[in-house]
Amino acid sequence: MNDNLANLLGALRGMTTLVWAQRCTPRALIWMAVSAGFAGLLMVLTIQPGRGGDWLMWVVGFYLQFLVPLACLNVCGSMIRSELQANTLSFLTTRPLRRHTIFLMQYLCHVCWLQGVFLVCTLLLFGLGVALGIGGLGKLLVLFVFTQMLAVFAWGALSALLGLLHQRYMVIGIIYWLIVEVGTGMVEVSNINQFSMLRHVHTLLAQHESVYKVFGNWAGDAAGMAAAVMMLATLFFLAAGALLFTFREYLPSHEAGQQ
């Protein structure tokens, strides 16, 4: 039992090192720094000092609703697909680990990297809000970070599943986001909106008065249910992805060299 645990921890440590080395290249870090600087400049130019509503439209309306799920789709959707395209998937599957364990470890490594990046981004955004004279951000920060963590886990798990389903996971993910996340999330006459993770994100954030005032049509109740649904959705997507990766053979013949 101890040997198995040691092997799992060793494999997880090795995968974590590899993922962070791949994601934290000088080119990637420079690109992220330039993008963050450009976005910060746009916010400074478009947000009037003390206007919390303008700041929320950027942070919640653009960053959390659009940029975060798109980044999850790009990073977690490619975690297995990129190995297939590089013809290195066989090196993963021949390790003395079960296939579902490899999938879950890959997800954990990639989603933890995303959580770290988004946490830094959130702190910078809230720091910019303080610099612009927007008050009352302390309590919102705690709620925002909690909501973002749940959203990244759920969207990351969904993206990992989409990456296994088809090599055009970006296109499928964007269509899914438009139809399910945005489309069904706006439906008020039935419970079909419960399939939208974005709606549950809205429900959680609407617990804060300033968010509720700016986005007045967001539901402000059943926060505990919203958090529970997001956690259950994460487990469901992970279980589906683990089963698919276990029983489906992925051959590199049609995708090798496409990176």
Side-chain angles (χ1 to χ4, degrees):
M1 185 66 178
N2 291 334
D3 291 339
N4 292 334
L5 180 59
N7 291 334
L8 287 175
L9 292 177
L12 181 61
R13 183 168 58 250
M15 286 186 185
T16 302
T17 302
L18 180 60
V19 168
W20 282 68
Q22 292 174 340
R23 298 293 176 182
C24 296
T25 61
R27 180 179 178 181
L29 294 176
I30 291 174
W31 184 87
M32 286 190 290
V34 172
S35 300
F38 180 71
L41 179 61
L42 284 178
M43 292 179 67
V44 170
L45 294 175
T46 56
I47 299 176
Q48 298 182 12
R51 292 291 299 271
D54 295 341
W55 180 84
L56 282 173
M57 291 302 296
W58 269 99
V59 176
V60 178
F62 175 72
Y63 167 72
L64 187 59
Q65 290 191 128
F66 176 74
L67 191 59
V68 170
L70 184 63
C72 290
L73 180 61
N74 180 50
V75 172
C76 291
S78 65
M79 69 182 199
I80 298 296
R81 191 61 61 176
S82 62
E83 298 284 351
L84 184 61
Q85 293 174 348
N87 202 15
T88 56
L89 185 60
S90 58
F91 294 101
L92 285 177
T93 55
T94 54
R95 292 183 179 184
L97 294 172
R98 296 182 181 273
R99 290 172 66 96
H100 69 270
T101 303
I102 294 174
F103 172 80
L104 294 175
M105 283 187 174
Q106 283 276 32
Y107 164 80
L108 184 60
C109 294
H110 283 80
V111 82
C112 284
W113 183 83
L114 281 171
Q115 295 283 14
V117 171
F118 288 136
L119 178 60
V120 173
C121 291
T122 297
L123 294 177
L124 291 175
L125 290 171
F126 274 74
L128 181 60
V130 172
L132 290 171
I134 300 171
L137 296 182
K139 292 182 178 180
L140 178 58
L141 175 61
V142 177
L143 178 62
F144 190 92
V145 170
F146 173 73
T147 303
Q148 179 177 260
M149 287 181 62
L150 292 180
V152 170
F153 279 126
W155 283 329
L158 172 61
S159 300
L161 175 60
L162 294 178
L164 292 177
L165 289 174
H166 200 276
Q167 67 183 95
R168 304 295 183 185
Y169 59 89
M170 289 295 295
V171 176
I172 296 175
I174 292 173
I175 294 174
Y176 177 94
W177 183 82
L178 290 172
I179 295 177
V180 178
E181 295 292 347
V182 177
T184 63
M186 296 175 63
V187 176
E188 301 292 344
V189 295
S190 70
N191 289 328
I192 194 175
N193 53 34
Q194 299 301 308
F195 289 100
S196 171
M197 294 299 103
L198 193 57
R199 183 175 181 87
H200 299 302
V201 169
H202 294 171
T203 298
L204 289 173
L205 289 179
Q207 304 303 310
H208 194 275
E209 183 180 0
S210 62
V211 178
Y212 186 78
K213 287 181 179 180
V214 175
F215 305 94
N217 60 328
W218 288 2
D221 53 2
M225 180 61 70
V229 170
M230 294 180 71
M231 289 187 283
L232 289 175
T234 301
L235 296 177
F236 173 79
F237 293 140
L238 285 178
L243 286 173
L244 185 60
F245 188 63
T246 298
F247 294 106
R248 179 179 176 182
E249 287 296 330
Y250 291 88
L251 302 177
S253 58
H254 296 98
E255 298 184 45
Q258 292 185 11
Q259 285 187 320

